[in-house]
Short mmCIF file of all heavy atoms in Angstrom, two decimals:
data_model
loop_
_atom_site.label_atom_id
_atom_site.label_comp_id
_atom_site.label_asym_id
_atom_site.label_seq_id
_atom_site.Cartn_x
_atom_site.Cartn_y
_atom_site.Cartn_z
N VAL A 23 4.97 2.07 -5.22
CA VAL A 23 5.99 2.18 -6.27
C VAL A 23 5.35 2.68 -7.56
O VAL A 23 4.19 2.39 -7.85
CB VAL A 23 6.70 0.83 -6.53
CG1 VAL A 23 7.47 0.39 -5.30
CG2 VAL A 23 5.71 -0.24 -6.94
N GLY A 24 6.16 3.41 -8.33
CA GLY A 24 5.66 3.89 -9.61
C GLY A 24 5.66 2.81 -10.66
O GLY A 24 4.70 2.65 -11.42
N GLU A 25 6.74 2.05 -10.70
CA GLU A 25 6.87 0.93 -11.64
C GLU A 25 7.71 -0.15 -10.99
O GLU A 25 8.64 0.14 -10.21
CB GLU A 25 7.52 1.40 -12.95
CG GLU A 25 7.72 0.32 -14.00
CD GLU A 25 6.43 -0.23 -14.60
OE1 GLU A 25 5.42 -0.29 -13.89
OE2 GLU A 25 6.44 -0.61 -15.78
N ASN A 26 7.38 -1.43 -11.30
CA ASN A 26 8.06 -2.54 -10.66
C ASN A 26 8.47 -3.59 -11.67
O ASN A 26 7.64 -4.14 -12.38
CB ASN A 26 7.16 -3.19 -9.60
CG ASN A 26 7.80 -4.41 -8.98
OD1 ASN A 26 8.96 -4.35 -8.57
ND2 ASN A 26 7.05 -5.50 -8.91
N ASP A 27 9.77 -3.87 -11.72
CA ASP A 27 10.30 -4.99 -12.49
C ASP A 27 11.11 -5.91 -11.59
O ASP A 27 11.95 -6.68 -12.06
CB ASP A 27 11.18 -4.49 -13.64
CG ASP A 27 10.35 -3.87 -14.75
OD1 ASP A 27 9.31 -4.44 -15.11
OD2 ASP A 27 10.74 -2.80 -15.26
N GLY A 28 10.86 -5.80 -10.28
CA GLY A 28 11.56 -6.64 -9.31
C GLY A 28 10.59 -7.47 -8.50
O GLY A 28 9.55 -7.91 -9.00
N THR A 29 10.89 -7.66 -7.22
CA THR A 29 10.09 -8.49 -6.32
C THR A 29 9.62 -7.66 -5.14
O THR A 29 10.43 -7.00 -4.48
CB THR A 29 10.90 -9.69 -5.81
OG1 THR A 29 11.36 -10.46 -6.93
CG2 THR A 29 10.04 -10.57 -4.91
N ILE A 30 8.32 -7.70 -4.86
CA ILE A 30 7.76 -6.98 -3.72
C ILE A 30 7.00 -7.97 -2.86
O ILE A 30 6.07 -8.64 -3.33
CB ILE A 30 6.83 -5.85 -4.18
CG1 ILE A 30 7.60 -4.84 -5.03
CG2 ILE A 30 6.18 -5.16 -2.99
CD1 ILE A 30 6.75 -3.71 -5.59
N THR A 31 7.39 -8.07 -1.58
CA THR A 31 6.80 -9.05 -0.67
C THR A 31 6.31 -8.36 0.60
O THR A 31 7.07 -7.66 1.27
CB THR A 31 7.82 -10.13 -0.29
OG1 THR A 31 8.34 -10.75 -1.48
CG2 THR A 31 7.19 -11.19 0.60
N ALA A 32 5.04 -8.54 0.92
CA ALA A 32 4.46 -8.07 2.18
C ALA A 32 4.70 -6.58 2.41
O ALA A 32 5.11 -6.17 3.49
CB ALA A 32 5.01 -8.89 3.35
N CYS A 33 4.41 -5.77 1.40
CA CYS A 33 4.57 -4.32 1.50
C CYS A 33 3.22 -3.63 1.34
O CYS A 33 2.34 -4.13 0.62
CB CYS A 33 5.54 -3.81 0.46
SG CYS A 33 7.25 -4.36 0.70
N PHE A 34 3.06 -2.46 1.95
CA PHE A 34 1.78 -1.78 1.99
C PHE A 34 1.92 -0.28 1.75
O PHE A 34 3.00 0.29 1.93
CB PHE A 34 1.12 -1.98 3.38
CG PHE A 34 0.86 -3.40 3.74
CD1 PHE A 34 1.83 -4.15 4.40
CD2 PHE A 34 -0.36 -4.00 3.45
CE1 PHE A 34 1.58 -5.48 4.76
CE2 PHE A 34 -0.61 -5.33 3.79
CZ PHE A 34 0.36 -6.06 4.45
N TRP A 35 0.79 0.32 1.35
CA TRP A 35 0.72 1.78 1.35
C TRP A 35 -0.67 2.20 1.81
O TRP A 35 -1.62 1.44 1.71
CB TRP A 35 1.04 2.36 -0.03
CG TRP A 35 -0.10 2.39 -1.00
CD1 TRP A 35 -0.97 3.42 -1.24
CD2 TRP A 35 -0.51 1.33 -1.91
NE1 TRP A 35 -1.87 3.09 -2.22
CE2 TRP A 35 -1.62 1.81 -2.65
CE3 TRP A 35 -0.04 0.04 -2.15
CZ2 TRP A 35 -2.26 1.04 -3.60
CZ3 TRP A 35 -0.69 -0.72 -3.10
CH2 TRP A 35 -1.77 -0.23 -3.82
N ASP A 36 -0.76 3.43 2.35
CA ASP A 36 -2.03 3.97 2.84
C ASP A 36 -2.75 4.65 1.69
O ASP A 36 -2.27 5.66 1.15
CB ASP A 36 -1.75 4.98 3.96
CG ASP A 36 -3.01 5.42 4.69
OD1 ASP A 36 -4.04 5.65 4.02
OD2 ASP A 36 -2.96 5.57 5.92
N ILE A 37 -3.89 4.09 1.27
CA ILE A 37 -4.59 4.63 0.12
C ILE A 37 -5.25 5.97 0.42
O ILE A 37 -5.53 6.75 -0.50
CB ILE A 37 -5.65 3.63 -0.40
CG1 ILE A 37 -6.68 3.30 0.68
CG2 ILE A 37 -4.99 2.36 -0.91
CD1 ILE A 37 -7.80 2.40 0.22
N GLU A 38 -5.48 6.27 1.70
CA GLU A 38 -6.12 7.53 2.06
C GLU A 38 -5.11 8.68 2.10
O GLU A 38 -5.32 9.73 1.48
CB GLU A 38 -6.81 7.39 3.41
CG GLU A 38 -7.97 6.40 3.41
CD GLU A 38 -8.65 6.31 4.76
OE1 GLU A 38 -9.20 7.34 5.22
OE2 GLU A 38 -8.62 5.24 5.38
N THR A 39 -4.02 8.51 2.82
CA THR A 39 -3.05 9.60 2.94
C THR A 39 -2.24 9.81 1.67
O THR A 39 -1.74 10.91 1.42
CB THR A 39 -2.09 9.33 4.11
OG1 THR A 39 -1.43 8.07 3.91
CG2 THR A 39 -2.84 9.29 5.44
N SER A 40 -2.09 8.76 0.87
CA SER A 40 -1.32 8.88 -0.38
C SER A 40 -2.13 9.48 -1.52
O SER A 40 -1.56 9.94 -2.51
CB SER A 40 -0.79 7.52 -0.81
OG SER A 40 -1.86 6.66 -1.21
N SER A 41 -3.47 9.43 -1.38
CA SER A 41 -4.37 9.84 -2.48
C SER A 41 -4.15 8.99 -3.73
O SER A 41 -4.41 9.44 -4.85
CB SER A 41 -4.19 11.33 -2.81
OG SER A 41 -4.51 12.14 -1.69
N GLN A 42 -3.65 7.77 -3.53
CA GLN A 42 -3.42 6.85 -4.63
C GLN A 42 -4.08 5.51 -4.32
O GLN A 42 -3.79 4.87 -3.31
CB GLN A 42 -1.92 6.63 -4.86
CG GLN A 42 -1.17 7.85 -5.35
CD GLN A 42 -1.56 8.27 -6.75
OE1 GLN A 42 -1.97 7.46 -7.57
NE2 GLN A 42 -1.42 9.56 -7.04
N SER A 43 -4.98 5.10 -5.20
CA SER A 43 -5.66 3.82 -5.01
C SER A 43 -4.95 2.67 -5.70
O SER A 43 -5.36 1.51 -5.57
CB SER A 43 -7.11 3.92 -5.55
OG SER A 43 -7.09 4.24 -6.94
N SER A 44 -3.88 2.97 -6.43
CA SER A 44 -3.18 1.92 -7.16
C SER A 44 -1.67 2.06 -7.00
O SER A 44 -1.16 3.11 -6.60
CB SER A 44 -3.55 1.96 -8.65
OG SER A 44 -3.14 3.19 -9.22
N SER A 45 -0.98 0.99 -7.34
CA SER A 45 0.47 0.95 -7.29
C SER A 45 0.92 -0.20 -8.17
O SER A 45 0.17 -1.16 -8.38
CB SER A 45 0.95 0.74 -5.85
OG SER A 45 2.34 0.46 -5.79
N ALA A 46 2.17 -0.13 -8.66
CA ALA A 46 2.70 -1.22 -9.48
C ALA A 46 3.04 -2.45 -8.65
O ALA A 46 3.42 -3.48 -9.20
CB ALA A 46 3.94 -0.74 -10.24
N GLY A 47 2.90 -2.36 -7.34
CA GLY A 47 3.14 -3.50 -6.45
C GLY A 47 2.75 -3.14 -5.04
O GLY A 47 2.52 -1.98 -4.71
N GLY A 48 2.63 -4.14 -4.18
CA GLY A 48 2.23 -3.91 -2.81
C GLY A 48 0.73 -3.99 -2.63
O GLY A 48 -0.02 -4.23 -3.58
N THR A 49 0.28 -3.77 -1.41
CA THR A 49 -1.13 -3.84 -1.06
C THR A 49 -1.59 -2.54 -0.44
O THR A 49 -0.97 -2.05 0.51
CB THR A 49 -1.39 -4.98 -0.05
OG1 THR A 49 -0.94 -6.23 -0.62
CG2 THR A 49 -2.86 -5.09 0.30
N GLY A 50 -2.65 -1.97 -0.96
CA GLY A 50 -3.20 -0.74 -0.41
C GLY A 50 -4.17 -1.01 0.72
O GLY A 50 -5.00 -1.92 0.63
N LYS A 51 -4.07 -0.23 1.80
CA LYS A 51 -4.95 -0.35 2.95
C LYS A 51 -5.42 1.03 3.39
O LYS A 51 -4.74 2.03 3.15
CB LYS A 51 -4.21 -1.02 4.13
CG LYS A 51 -3.78 -2.45 3.88
CD LYS A 51 -4.95 -3.41 3.98
CE LYS A 51 -4.49 -4.85 3.90
NZ LYS A 51 -5.63 -5.81 4.02
N ASN A 52 -6.60 1.06 4.04
CA ASN A 52 -7.02 2.34 4.60
C ASN A 52 -6.22 2.62 5.88
O ASN A 52 -5.53 1.74 6.40
CB ASN A 52 -8.52 2.37 4.85
CG ASN A 52 -9.00 1.29 5.81
OD1 ASN A 52 -8.31 0.95 6.76
ND2 ASN A 52 -10.18 0.75 5.56
N THR A 53 -6.35 3.84 6.39
CA THR A 53 -5.54 4.25 7.54
C THR A 53 -5.80 3.39 8.76
O THR A 53 -4.87 3.01 9.49
CB THR A 53 -5.80 5.72 7.87
OG1 THR A 53 -5.50 6.53 6.71
CG2 THR A 53 -4.94 6.19 9.03
N ALA A 54 -7.06 3.04 9.00
CA ALA A 54 -7.38 2.22 10.17
C ALA A 54 -6.67 0.87 10.13
O ALA A 54 -6.13 0.40 11.14
CB ALA A 54 -8.89 2.02 10.26
N ASP A 55 -6.65 0.24 8.97
CA ASP A 55 -5.97 -1.05 8.85
C ASP A 55 -4.45 -0.91 8.94
O ASP A 55 -3.76 -1.83 9.39
CB ASP A 55 -6.35 -1.73 7.53
CG ASP A 55 -7.75 -2.30 7.54
OD1 ASP A 55 -8.26 -2.55 8.64
OD2 ASP A 55 -8.33 -2.48 6.45
N MET A 56 -3.92 0.24 8.49
CA MET A 56 -2.49 0.48 8.58
C MET A 56 -2.03 0.69 10.02
O MET A 56 -0.83 0.70 10.30
CB MET A 56 -2.10 1.69 7.73
CG MET A 56 -2.21 1.48 6.23
SD MET A 56 -0.91 0.41 5.55
CE MET A 56 0.54 1.45 5.72
N MET A 57 -2.98 0.87 10.92
CA MET A 57 -2.65 1.06 12.34
C MET A 57 -3.05 -0.15 13.17
O MET A 57 -3.21 -0.06 14.39
CB MET A 57 -3.32 2.33 12.87
CG MET A 57 -2.78 3.61 12.26
SD MET A 57 -3.46 5.10 13.03
CE MET A 57 -2.60 6.36 12.08
N LYS A 58 -3.20 -1.32 12.52
CA LYS A 58 -3.47 -2.57 13.21
C LYS A 58 -2.26 -3.49 13.05
O LYS A 58 -1.82 -3.77 11.93
CB LYS A 58 -4.70 -3.26 12.62
CG LYS A 58 -6.02 -2.56 12.89
CD LYS A 58 -7.16 -3.32 12.23
CE LYS A 58 -8.49 -2.62 12.45
NZ LYS A 58 -9.60 -3.33 11.75
N GLN A 59 -1.76 -4.00 14.13
CA GLN A 59 -0.59 -4.87 14.06
C GLN A 59 -0.88 -6.13 13.26
O GLN A 59 -0.02 -6.64 12.54
CB GLN A 59 -0.10 -5.24 15.46
CG GLN A 59 1.15 -6.09 15.46
CD GLN A 59 1.73 -6.30 16.84
OE1 GLN A 59 1.77 -5.38 17.65
NE2 GLN A 59 2.17 -7.51 17.14
#
């Protein structure tokens, strides 16, 4: 997300494919971890 004034629970983004190491909410993971159940 670009900016967050709400609630974010158990959400993720791929820090490698997005080319973004930060976000206003959520948890960043590498691609390998994003492909683990």
